[in-house]
Amino acid sequence: MEILATFFNVGLVVATIRTTTPILLVALGGSFTTKAGIFNIGLEGQMLIAAFFAVIGSIWTGSSFGGLLIGVAAALAFALVYAVLVVSFRANEVVVGLALNILAGGMTISLMKAIFGTRGSVVGRGIVGLPKVQLPGARDILGPSYAQLISGYTPLVYVAFLSVPLLVLFYARTRLGLYLRVVGEKPEAAETLGISIARVRYIASLLCGLFAGLAGAHMSLGYITMFTENMSSGRGFMAVAILIFSAGDPLKVLLGCLLFGFADAFSLRLQILNFPSYLILAVPYAVALLALFALSWRTRPKLIRETLETMRNALAEKPQDSGGKLPADNRP
Amino acid sequence: MISSLLPRNLRRTLAGQLLALAIALALGAVVILMIDENPLRVFATLMRGAFGDSEKIAGTLLQTTPILICGVAACIGLRGGMFNVGIEGQLFLGGFAAAWVGFSFALPPVLHVLVAVAAAVAAGAAWVSVPAYFRVRFGANEVVSTILANYVAVLLTSYFTIFLFKRPGGWSETPPILPSAYLPELFSFSRLNIGLLIGLALAVATALFFRFTTTGYAVTMVGSAPKFADYGGINVRRAGFGVLLASGAVGGLAGGVETLGVHHRFMEGFAPGFGFDGLIAALLANGSPIGTIFTALFFGALRAGSLLLEVDTTASREIITVIQALIILAVSADLLLRRKGDRTGGRRWKF
Amino acid sequence: MDIAVQLQGITKRFDAFTANDRIDLSVRRGEIHAIIGENGAGKTTLMNVLFGLLQPDEGTISVNGKPLVVTSPAVAIAEGLGMVHQHFKLVPSLTVADNIFLGMEIRKRGLIDRKAQIEQARTLSRKFGLNVDPAERVAGLSVGIEQRIEILKVLARNARIIILDEPTAVLTPQESRDLFATLRSFVEDGMTVIFISHHLEEVMAVSDTITVLRDGRVVATRGKSELSKRELVRMMVGRDVSFDRRPRSPGSGRAVLSVSDLWARDDRRLPALKAVNLSVSAGEIVGIAGVAGNGQTELAEVLSGLRPASHGSALLHGKELLEHSPAEIRARGLAHVPGDRLARGVDGNATLSANMLMGRQRKQPYSRRGLIDWRAVDRETKALMQRFDIRARGPRDLASSLSGGNIQKVVLAREFTAGGDFLLIDQPTRGVDIGAQEAIHSEIMRQRADDKAILLISTQLDELAALADRILVMFEGRIMGEIDGAAMDEESIGLMMAGIDPVAAAEVQ
Amino acid sequence: KVHVAAISGYFAQGFGVSIVNGLNKAKDDFGIDLKLVDTGNRSLDYEEQFANLAKSGEYDLIFVMGWELVDALQKVSAQYPNQRFIFIDGVLDSKSMIYANFAEEQGSFIAGALAGMVEDLGPSFDKIGSGKAIGFVGGRDIPVIRNFLGGYEQGVKYAAPDVKVNAVFAGTFDDPAKGSELAQTLYGQGADIVYNVAGPTGEGVMQASAAADKYSLGVDIDMCSSAPGNVLASMLKRGDVAVYSIIKDEVQGKKVQPGARTFDLASGGVEVKLCDDVAAKLPQAIKDKLETLRQDVIAGKITIAKAK
Ligand SMILES: Nc1ncnc2c1ncn2[C@@H]1O[C@H](COP(=O)(O)OP(=O)(O)OP(=O)(O)O)[C@@H](O)[C@H]1O
Ligand SMILES: Nc1ncnc2c1ncn2[C@@H]1O[C@H](COP(=O)(O)OP(=O)(O)OP(=O)(O)O)[C@@H](O)[C@H]1O
Ligand SMILES: [Mg+2]
Ligand SMILES: [Mg+2]
């Protein structure tokens, strides 16, 4: 029992929220491009460049908010290049995405060298991290151990989770959201109604850049307060995977991210049981794979159920058949 | 399908790519100027590093080999409408499997190589078989499953290497394979081995296969119009499964060629990124295996050249990465955009 | 005279090919103006130019007397033009109302006002007598309804000039009649209608003025009263064409296909075929009549192995064909002309040769020991292009560059020469010009004379009347009854198509 | 003028940073000519990179760091027998090379002893609970890191036998977020002190100690400033001292000869540096005990097994 308590506790939930947030932010960004029919594999790079510039910005402006803005601006610049190449110049979106990832990696390191004279990490040096938001009253109502469930995170954690319902509303009820969906689903329809496909895709790319930028800034100013080479560490790719199987629906994106975040947080806990770390580290990916397979398994044609249903229908409809001229009784 | 080979299109494409290259080099020159280097000297060093003498040329071809084989793997998938992003993982498992055969069994020379290569191919195919099965049977998206499988593959081979087969006293690597399992080298002065010839033969064979065999035709149709192929009596599921399996097998082969031909053992994280390089090479070549030979060669030359660049100039590895990315970006864009009329952004690969 | 649309010297080239060659066209306000012509004559191209989807290489456009450069559909819409396209442009996942108001959403405080849209869509559909449920999703609605939605889309934009590209190709006679009644009411309101059609009866019945295109040029523009159907045909095709019932000799009567108690589901998993029984003999054409969406497509798909049956049996030459793959069924003698030619019938991005090869890639002389002989394929394709009068530059053309009717001929050519002795033909002349229609009908009759068993699915009763030996009428997945092809009676077929058993109806009376 | 090159894939990570610091210091002090080559992470490239450096014969000394380079290094060094290579962080078979060998297990032993004793103080010491557990976050699970862990565990066992060590690995050296998450997990499971041997990933551990208000131990370089008040000490692995002293010899005309040089507690190649803020609160007994242990290790009274 005690063992179980060290695995399943409030801390696990809090850890899940923490591990989920960056992936959720970047995946929500990707939801715009996914909905608009663009396969954006360059999320990783946008996130990385934003993480770097958020740190730079935070040092320059001396404020975390300034850092956030500059980080997002950097991601937007990448998103703009992406859109110009993919939308206007019809470049292959996968090639451009991967190349931008490479570019982000090279650029952050070169700039780090040029600006800080080191490679590796930028720590301290006047970086101002995002403040933690203590929700007033949370402690009184929930008590100290449960208060951490909802209070004490950096602002972007709240932004990430609150964005989910907002995006649901956005896709369902706003004009731009509708256009995004239409352009992704049936561009001919949009075109004949005078909706500019290029314009909508540009907007989608930029919105994607915005969220990827927030994700990057969260990595380097919120989750922790530093920049390291390649610190996005595959989270952008993970988001791509979640996006494809959620088709960009915000709720499904949230579910996918939570699943992955939970598997991640939980597997970290498993390590103290002395399993080989390499196998434990594969757990979140394996869980995501299994989830994918299980979901597809569920939607398979249910032969047995269908046959039963058919037979029931057949029997039920029998009396309405126009008389006995059909050979009716050779049914099993 | 074939129209992309028409002379007029070819001319236009070539002109476009040259223009793209010029733009990329101009941008690269700006970057180089910013680090106080002389762009001409940098580009000359790059050329010298890639083609300076026979050793350098062999070095370029050595770099080309894995990109080419991975690129062919990607081409096979793309032709059959399957987007195999998991070449990276298949490469790792193939590499490990070949090494395992190489160090665990003592076999006569040629046979040993054959068995080890077969193990690599089988491992690659086996690794993709589960995603492939769920793809064709239940429609589980292969892009997602192969991306995820990559992470698992890399961690799994690390586990094998470090926990099960570590060379005593060594770093995170397996024991060396027996010399009987070495792929023959082509020249005395370089590690370049017959892996390159395997890659070239594979690319040509793949192109001919798709062009001239009935199975290749069937697979191409499944890739470009699955409903039509289904209607026409082609077994779409089997074709899709076969395509992914073949793609994975070639990905595994790439790993086998690397361990048997170059490293002669498997190390943790031995060849990161080749799968993605191959994918980019294949996409830039628009899924054509023959075109991939050239894009892979281009990438190989860039990589080989950049190794000298790092030593002979003050340009660092990251600057070179930046320039490479710029080149890829420029070349990927359809610069001589012709059809202004239809603005429907056509998507080449659907997910 | 009040001219609504004036085109002058419109030329549109695709590479070296001229699809529209110096076309002049003027459409008066308040008239129904029909544009007819063979497949590939350039009708759709011309309308796309007018609507801003294509840019002309030469020529000028003026709308309502005002010269206009139509750079995009938005410009055309702003000038009061509306177009219903040959291939519908609806978004399946959206509701009817969302589709209608797409691009001109009704909003309240920045958010789309679903309720108001549904309300207005309902009002609109009532006002114009186009019955649709605005809250339903478009995915899964029948083509007839989809067309109504397309028209409502146009009306909601206050279009005064409406272009319809082959609006009746997918409709039943009843639906067509309704449509034309609607169009009539439009012109009475002072609107202008331009429509493209291959049905000369229709054209003669509803239009005021007719323009005939041929090879991208205008042959003539006349008032309807100045023309007879015969003259029209001559102008279009350059020869006489007959649509009388084809003479025939009795077939051998050997049963080829027999289906009993067949059940199946559609894509939405609802029952689409219910206890279907039928049989087809060699040398016989069995027609299936019915409003589109009553299970005909599912029947064809089940018989060709593309859709699983839930229950029942279908014997081809006495052997069960259900649960077999499309390839096996084909190997046993099925040839299938699918109803949805763009999705199933061809690969638009492949060459004509590659399209012709489908299904016979393992046969000599097309391939030998697994290797394809492309020269032989090209040669055969060229021969088929000649025999079936497929208008294209050569076997290496991409299928997507052909006009709709010519694409259909590619499918027919491939299937009719595949060597099967059971032909499953779904809507063979949908969107095909009359000259080609006649050729296709002759080809079907030739197949019949070759003692093939033919199951012909068509929504066009005149086609069935001309070809079928027996006609079965389908309604909601059931066979409502059977009628002798030679003695076809539109009235009782119409009743059965509406789901009323004529015998029962007679008894009630 | 002395020409020096250094080649590695790890210049961005803790120990590599310290080497680069040493090289730069030597450059400033002695005006040597310095070339840094980053190998990246593709083993296919290593051999050409060595060859490109060695071929010109331009470099007097080539520093090499990273076990994955060993194969390529041995091959190229056999081809260029006159080229002096200095392998950092280990000893190889080859007799013609120079080795800088670090006893990280010794430093980790002291670090472990410190952590164990502090944990043993229990709740009487600020931020320490009653759980009797401490943690370890490694980068990847590779032999060098295992050597750190081994020394650490031996130190804990020696000084505080009933304190338990929970060791976890991040699987990567450059994901500080993951490091932070791992550390928070360890803290949540009752550990009060976590030793990070994870390069930039470890920075996340340091920051997590501040967030959880527990203790951490830094590695390779002085990390006291990463989380002031929460870092007990740093286990310094003085790559800078090693390269600086080797270059100094060379510059002063004492041509560096093949053979191994050991950098251990005795020579100051590894050391545990207490952070001033925390050290001020630490009981004197612990500080004394640490010094005794250090002397004992140097004197060989305590031997610490290297992990294999
Ligand atoms: N024809 C079009 N083609 C492409 N995008 C369009 C088109 N019309 C509008 N949009 C995009 O849809 C979004 C909403 O457009 P709209 O004109 O309603 O903005 P708005 O008037 O500011 O709306 P609101 O005031 O409700 O926020 C904008 O981002 C706009 O770029
Ligand atoms: N995008 C295109 N590229 C090349 N050729 C085209 C293109 N679109 C149409 N064509 C050619 O232009 C000609 C006219 O085509 P169009 O679609 O206007 O014919 P249509 O009169 O509408 O025929 P149908 O009655 O069969 O629909 C055809 O020969 C067609 O092959
Ligand atoms: Mg047309
Ligand atoms: Mg047509």
Side-chain angles (χ1 to χ4, degrees):
Chain A
M1 268 346 282
E2 208 171 302
I3 285 281
L4 275 187
T6 60
F7 283 112
F8 297 98
N9 48 24
V10 176
L12 179 59
V13 181
V14 176
T16 301
I17 291 175
R18 278 194 310 255
T19 46
T20 302
T21 304
I23 302 182
L24 180 60
L25 275 172
V26 69
L28 288 177
S31 119
F32 294 110
T33 43
T34 307
K35 284 276 184 200
I38 311 172
F39 177 55
N40 191 348
I41 206 168
L43 293 173
E44 182 89 2
Q46 292 183 2
M47 201 169 157
L48 186 61
I49 200 83
F52 179 73
F53 276 95
V55 161
I56 299 270
S58 152
I59 295 173
W60 283 347
T61 62
S63 99
S64 55
F65 187 68
L68 184 73
L69 282 186
I70 292 177
V72 167
L76 284 176
F78 259 55
L80 185 64
V81 172
Y82 180 84
V84 168
L85 288 173
V86 168
V87 180
S88 297
F89 284 105
R90 306 261 187 102
N92 183 298
E93 50 214 69
V94 178
V95 173
V96 175
L98 289 176
L100 284 177
N101 288 346
I102 298 173
L103 184 66
M107 242 172 99
T108 48
I109 300 175
S110 327
L111 287 174
M112 188 161 27
K113 263 185 168 168
I115 298 172
F116 300 101
T118 62
R119 274 201 56 183
S121 323
V122 185
V123 204
R125 297 180 194 256
I127 307 174
V128 189
L130 290 162
K132 298 213 155 121
V133 180
Q134 300 295 346
L135 292 185
R139 260 179 124 64
D140 304 334
I141 300 165
L142 295 169
S145 75
Y146 289 102
Q148 54 171 330
L149 284 174
I150 58 160
S151 178
Y153 299 103
T154 48
L156 290 176
V157 176
Y158 300 101
V159 170
F161 284 89
L162 290 180
S163 294
V164 174
L166 286 180
L167 277 194
V168 172
L169 186 72
F170 172 77
Y171 287 125
R173 294 289 301 279
T174 68
R175 176 197 288 226
L176 184 57
L178 183 71
Y179 287 6
L180 279 173
R181 284 161 57 201
V182 170
V183 163
E185 184 178 342
K186 188 117 182 189
E188 312 92 280
E191 188 188 18
T192 50
L193 294 175
I195 298 170
S196 154
I197 295 172
R199 182 160 140 207
V200 168
R201 291 204 165 142
Y202 264 88
I203 295 174
S205 290
L206 290 175
L207 283 173
C208 172
L210 171 68
F211 272 75
L214 292 178
H218 175 68
M219 284 301 291
S220 64
L221 296 180
Y223 205 156
I224 40 167
T225 312
M226 65 180 292
F227 178 80
T228 301
E229 286 177 12
N230 193 23
M231 77 183 293
S232 45
S233 278
R235 289 178 178 82
F237 279 106
M238 198 56 221
V240 169
I242 290 171
L243 279 169
I244 294 174
F245 91 92
S246 65
D249 286 345
L251 284 177
K252 289 190 196 153
V253 166
L254 174 66
L255 269 180
C257 292
L258 277 175
L259 173 74
F260 185 76
F262 174 78
D264 201 6
F266 186 69
S267 68
L268 297 182
R269 269 147 215 264
L270 280 182
Q271 275 208 35
I272 64 157
L273 294 185
N274 268 327
F275 289 120
S277 63
Y278 288 98
L279 295 185
I280 297 282
L281 289 166
V283 165
Y285 305 106
V287 166
L289 262 178
L290 287 180
L292 172 72
F293 291 152
L295 281 178
S296 64
W297 176 276
R298 208 175 52 76
T299 56
R300 81 198 197 277
K302 289 228 158 110
L303 269 179
I304 299 169
R305 198 192 61 196
E306 193 199 359
T307 314
L308 284 175
E309 223 171 278
T310 314
M311 278 161 56
R312 201 171 334 114
N313 283 341
L315 295 173
E317 289 201 27
K318 194 131 184 278
Q320 298 163 16
D321 277 355
S322 48
K325 65 182 179 197
L326 301 172
D329 288 320
N330 56 359
R331 249 175 239 137
Chain B
M1 191 166 67
I2 323 140
S3 71
S4 62
L5 294 180
L6 287 179
R8 187 177 28 152
N9 279 333
L10 194 64
R11 265 210 307 280
R12 187 180 150 268
T13 313
L14 273 181
Q17 299 305 44
L18 286 180
L19 180 62
L21 212 54
I23 292 176
L25 292 181
L27 282 176
V30 174
V31 175
I32 294 164
L33 284 172
M34 287 198 305
I35 56 159
D36 284 334
E37 257 289 357
N38 175 351
L40 285 181
R41 193 168 96 88
V42 167
F43 291 136
T45 312
L46 199 60
M47 287 304 287
R48 198 153 49 80
F51 304 110
D53 54 42
S54 48
E55 238 170 277
K56 295 275 187 257
I57 294 175
T60 294
L61 295 177
L62 184 68
Q63 295 277 354
T64 304
T65 306
I67 303 177
L68 173 59
I69 302 181
C70 289
V72 172
C75 284
I76 294 174
L78 292 175
R79 268 305 183 87
M82 292 289 176
F83 204 68
N84 180 4
V85 194
I87 298 170
E88 188 91 1
Q90 292 134 27
L91 172 96
F92 270 69
L93 276 157
F96 180 82
W100 179 70
V101 171
F103 66 71
S104 311
F105 302 97
L107 295 171
V110 177
L111 183 67
H112 204 174
V113 171
L114 290 180
V115 173
V117 166
V121 166
W127 189 245
V128 85
S129 65
V130 178
Y133 174 75
F134 278 89
R135 169 67 170 81
V136 298
R137 183 66 183 79
F138 304 116
N141 189 295
E142 81 278 9
V143 180
V144 187
S145 54
T146 53
I147 286 184
L148 293 172
N150 277 343
Y151 291 98
V152 181
V154 172
L155 289 164
L156 200 63
T157 52
S158 291
Y159 169 72
F160 288 155
T161 309
I162 294 167
F163 283 82
L164 304 183
F165 296 104
K166 192 166 97 66
R167 183 178 107 202
W171 186 69
S172 316
E173 61 191 19
T174 65
I177 63 173
L178 303 176
S180 56
Y182 287 12
L183 283 185
E185 291 187 348
L186 292 176
F187 306 109
S188 57
F189 54 82
S190 162
R191 291 178 291 165
L192 185 63
N193 53 68
I194 62 164
L196 175 71
L197 304 184
I198 295 178
L200 289 174
L202 207 59
V204 174
T206 306
L208 293 178
F209 173 80
F210 282 123
R211 184 81 185 80
F212 287 111
T213 67
T214 51
T215 315
Y217 167 79
V219 167
T220 308
M221 289 324 250
V222 169
S224 72
K227 277 185 146 180
F228 176 46
D230 185 25
Y231 148 87
I234 295 169
N235 189 332
V236 173
R237 284 182 180 174
R238 196 161 58 195
F241 191 69
V243 155
L244 269 179
L245 231 51
S247 177
V250 174
L253 175 69
V257 164
E258 282 305 282
T259 37
L260 301 177
V262 183
H263 304 304
H264 300 149
R265 66 200 193 284
F266 184 86
M267 313 84 108
E268 187 196 8
F270 82 126
F274 281 124
F276 283 104
D277 282 2
L279 192 60
I280 298 181
L283 286 171
L284 280 183
N286 214 351
S288 143
I290 300 294
T292 304
I293 296 179
F294 297 100
T295 46
L297 184 66
F298 181 63
F299 282 15
L302 271 180
R303 288 195 66 88
S306 68
L307 296 181
L308 186 65
L309 203 54
E310 221 177 333
V311 173
D312 278 10
T313 70
T314 58
S316 64
R317 173 167 216 93
E318 306 79 56
I319 294 291
I320 300 158
T321 315
V322 167
I323 295 170
Q324 283 181 355
L326 290 176
I327 293 178
I328 298 173
L329 285 177
V331 173
S332 72
D334 194 356
L335 283 177
L336 300 183
L337 205 60
R338 194 177 33 166
R339 288 174 304 162
K340 263 278 168 62
D342 64 337
R343 275 147 289 127
T344 319
R347 294 170 65 206
R348 259 164 288 184
W349 323 111
K350 291 220 188 295
F351 299 96
Chain C
M1 207 190 314
D2 194 4
I3 301 293
V5 173
Q6 175 94 48
L7 302 180
Q8 266 169 336
I10 296 289
T11 298
K12 176 68 194 174
R13 280 182 283 265
F14 294 110
D15 292 332
F17 177 78
T18 310
N20 287 165
D21 190 3
R22 283 163 289 153
I23 288 189
D24 298 324
L25 177 74
S26 50
V27 181
R28 272 174 294 138
R29 188 175 318 290
E31 73 168 350
I32 297 187
H33 193 122
I35 297 179
I36 61 171
E38 285 181 287
N39 293 131
K43 309 178 291 290
T44 301
T45 305
L46 186 66
M47 292 303 111
N48 283 345
V49 166
L50 172 58
F51 197 60
L53 282 166
L54 292 173
Q55 297 308 311
D57 297 311
E58 288 159 32
T60 57
I61 301 172
S62 50
V63 176
N64 300 326
K66 190 171 91 182
L68 200 63
V69 183
V70 196
T71 48
S72 83
V75 176
I77 292 170
E79 284 306 315
L81 276 106
M83 180 160 176
V84 177
H85 299 268
Q86 190 169 0
H87 303 117
F88 295 156
K89 317 236 169 180
L90 297 173
V91 189
S93 74
L94 299 185
T95 63
V96 172
D98 281 343
N99 265 292
I100 291 175
F101 288 98
L102 187 58
M104 45 172 288
E105 299 75 13
I106 304 171
R107 288 183 303 171
K108 206 161 75 182
R109 275 183 263 112
L111 295 183
I112 295 171
D113 190 344
R114 280 264 146 72
K115 267 209 202 105
Q117 287 194 358
I118 290 180
E119 228 19 77
Q120 288 210 18
R122 190 163 287 138
T123 323
L124 202 64
S125 74
R126 281 219 196 92
K127 178 171 157 206
F128 291 98
L130 295 164
N131 191 19
V132 290
D133 175 3
E136 233 181 316
R137 271 183 207 288
V138 165
L141 292 180
S142 73
V143 269
I145 308 263
E146 285 191 14
Q147 181 166 58
R148 283 183 215 159
I149 303 169
E150 285 285 6
I151 295 175
L152 284 174
K153 249 162 93 174
V154 166
L155 293 173
R157 284 164 177 72
N158 290 322
R160 304 295 294 166
I161 303 166
I162 301 180
I163 305 166
L164 300 110
D165 192 351
E166 297 194 30
T168 56
V170 291
L171 300 187
T172 58
Q174 282 92 338
E175 282 175 323
S176 300
R177 238 176 277 146
D178 291 348
L179 171 68
F180 287 121
T182 313
L183 294 185
R184 267 284 146 225
S185 71
F186 288 172
V187 289
E188 268 145 33
D189 278 357
M191 294 196 227
T192 308
V193 173
I194 305 174
F195 87 102
I196 297 175
S197 178
H198 290 299
H199 288 259
L200 295 189
E201 274 93 15
E202 258 168 42
V203 170
M204 296 302 287
V206 285
S207 59
D208 302 308
T209 312
I210 300 171
T211 293
V212 183
L213 293 191
R214 194 162 160 198
D215 293 336
R217 298 206 185 89
V218 176
V219 179
T221 298
R222 304 266 173 82
K224 175 180 66 178
S225 44
E226 306 163 34
L227 281 165
S228 72
K229 190 177 159 191
R230 207 184 147 93
E231 281 173 291
L232 268 184
V233 172
R234 281 197 153 278
M235 280 198 272
M236 269 173 70
V237 193
R239 65 183 159 86
D240 281 323
V241 173
S242 140
F243 286 96
D244 299 335
R245 181 167 170 83
R246 301 301 179 107
R248 64 197 63 218
S249 50
S252 70
R254 181 169 48 87
V256 172
L257 177 84
S258 63
V259 173
S260 59
D261 196 25
L262 187 65
W263 295 72
R265 288 161 184 277
D266 64 11
D267 290 335
R268 289 173 295 167
R269 320 218 55 72
L270 302 172
L273 293 183
K274 300 170 190 165
V276 169
N277 292 283
L278 61 87
S279 72
V280 188
S281 307
E284 181 187 37
I285 300 179
V286 175
I288 304 261
V291 179
N294 274 289
Q296 300 99 313
T297 311
E298 284 80 5
L299 177 63
E301 286 177 352
V302 168
L303 291 181
S304 54
L306 297 169
R307 177 181 293 277
S310 340
H311 181 77
S313 101
L315 304 179
L316 184 60
H317 296 303
K319 287 206 207 96
E320 185 60 64
L321 62 72
L322 299 182
E323 305 295 321
H324 286 279
S325 72
E328 285 164 318
I329 298 176
R330 275 178 177 273
R332 294 218 222 132
L334 167 98
H336 177 197
V337 177
D340 187 353
R341 62 180 171 236
L342 282 184
R344 287 243 192 242
V346 292
D347 175 6
N349 297 321
T351 61
L352 294 184
S353 285
N355 273 293
M356 284 296 182
L357 187 59
M358 178 57 77
R360 56 187 71 169
Q361 66 269 24
R362 298 196 189 281
K363 294 199 186 118
Q364 292 214 14
Y366 309 103
S367 73
R368 222 178 292 265
R369 283 194 227 98
L371 292 183
I372 295 173
D373 179 356
W374 282 104
R375 286 230 304 273
V377 180
D378 283 349
R379 222 179 303 123
E380 184 64 20
T381 303
K382 231 179 257 165
L384 288 177
M385 286 169 64
Q386 208 142 52
R387 172 166 161 205
F388 284 84
D389 188 27
I390 298 167
R391 308 274 171 88
R393 272 152 293 178
R396 293 287 161 114
D397 272 12
L398 294 188
S400 60
S401 72
L402 266 59
S403 77
N406 278 307
I407 291 179
Q408 179 71 348
K409 288 191 245 171
V410 171
V411 180
L412 288 167
R414 184 185 61 227
E415 295 301 316
F416 283 2
T417 56
D421 52 8
F422 169 50
L423 304 185
L424 180 51
I425 306 175
D426 195 354
Q427 307 280 17
T429 57
R430 176 185 288 175
V432 172
D433 71 54
I434 45 165
Q437 271 178 29
E438 191 203 26
I440 290 169
H441 286 180
S442 304
E443 192 60 45
I444 293 176
M445 287 310 291
R446 200 171 311 148
Q447 298 290 331
R448 182 188 180 281
D450 282 353
D451 219 27
K452 305 259 170 93
I454 299 172
L455 188 63
L456 173 68
I457 298 171
S458 178
T459 51
Q460 280 153 38
L461 293 183
D462 47 355
E463 180 163 277
L464 292 173
L467 297 176
D469 296 300
R470 292 186 285 136
I471 300 172
L472 306 176
V473 185
M474 276 190 91
F475 175 72
E476 292 194 341
R478 280 173 206 289
I479 306 277
M480 291 303 292
E482 183 181 316
I483 289 172
D484 185 1
M488 196 185 87
D489 150 29
E490 281 224 23
E491 186 58 29
S492 56
I493 285 205
L495 282 175
M496 284 195 274
M497 282 168 74
I500 302 161
D501 190 338
V503 187
E507 274 169 18
V508 168
Q509 281 182 351
Chain D
K1 196 170 180 181
V2 175
H3 294 262
V4 172
I7 177 165
S8 169
Y10 296 122
F11 288 138
Q13 295 170 7
F15 185 52
V17 170
S18 113
I19 288 173
V20 174
N21 290 342
L23 290 168
N24 281 331
K25 183 154 183 280
K27 184 178 173 185
D28 293 344
D29 291 358
F30 309 127
I32 56 163
D33 186 72
L34 176 63
K35 175 94 215 163
L36 290 183
V37 176
D38 181 0
T39 58
N41 57 1
R42 283 190 182 174
S43 35
L44 186 55
D45 300 349
Y46 302 156
E47 220 176 290
E48 271 80 13
Q49 282 171 315
F50 281 117
N52 282 337
L53 280 174
K55 198 184 250 171
S56 60
E58 189 183 330
Y59 298 102
D60 300 298
L61 299 173
I62 299 178
F63 288 92
V64 180
M65 182 188 92
W67 273 90
E68 69 279 14
L69 301 179
V70 164
D71 244 52
L73 172 63
Q74 289 180 329
K75 215 165 151 190
V76 175
S77 121
Q79 279 166 19
Y80 299 93
N82 295 328
Q83 175 68 56
R84 281 177 298 157
F85 285 103
I86 301 155
F87 187 68
I88 300 179
D89 217 12
V91 178
L92 313 177
D93 294 337
S94 163
K95 293 260 177 288
S96 63
M97 264 182 261
I98 306 151
Y99 303 101
N101 190 16
F102 286 86
E104 59 262 348
E105 72 281 4
Q106 293 186 353
S108 296
F109 178 88
I110 303 293
L114 167 66
M117 289 187 290
V118 172
E119 178 69 29
D120 234 2
L121 294 174
S124 67
F125 194 72
D126 187 26
K127 301 178 188 156
I128 299 293
S130 50
K132 299 277 181 214
I134 61 175
F136 174 95
V137 174
R140 294 213 311 254
D141 192 350
I142 54 176
V144 193
I145 307 297
R146 282 272 167 193
N147 206 26
F148 279 91
L149 175 58
Y152 183 63
E153 284 175 331
Q154 292 172 58
V156 175
K157 198 153 175 220
Y158 188 91
D162 50 347
V163 170
K164 192 169 164 273
V165 179
N166 291 330
V168 297
F169 293 89
T172 159
F173 284 103
D174 42 29
D175 190 349
K178 185 152 222 160
S180 156
E181 208 50 63
L182 278 168
Q184 301 216 26
T185 305
L186 288 172
Y187 291 131
Q189 289 171 336
D192 299 305
I193 305 167
V194 174
Y195 181 27
N196 94 76
V197 187
T201 298
E203 273 298 335
V205 175
M206 310 307 281
Q207 296 195 359
S209 69
D213 200 22
K214 299 280 185 179
Y215 288 114
S216 54
L217 288 163
V219 77
D220 292 337
I221 46 178
D222 188 349
M223 292 182 158
C224 295
S225 63
S226 290
N230 295 89
V231 188
L232 276 182
S234 295
M235 201 296 274
L236 306 186
K237 187 170 165 186
R238 303 293 301 262
D240 52 345
V241 169
V243 295
Y244 187 84
S245 69
I246 290 171
I247 296 175
K248 189 172 171 194
D249 284 354
E250 181 77 14
V251 171
Q252 291 175 346
K254 288 181 265 175
K255 230 170 181 266
V256 185
Q257 294 306 321
R261 294 185 177 203
T262 300
F263 295 89
D264 53 9
L265 275 180
S267 63
V270 294
E271 63 178 288
V272 170
K273 180 176 171 296
L274 290 173
C275 296
D276 298 337
D277 40 9
V278 183
K281 295 187 287 179
L282 221 50
Q284 190 58 39
I286 289 185
K287 289 190 230 175
D288 293 343
K289 178 76 181 172
L290 282 181
E291 183 53 28
T292 324
L293 283 176
R294 198 175 82 86
Q295 296 301 344
D296 287 353
V297 172
I298 291 173
K301 283 191 213 155
I302 302 175
T303 50
I304 301 143
K306 263 189 180 278
K308 269 287 151 250

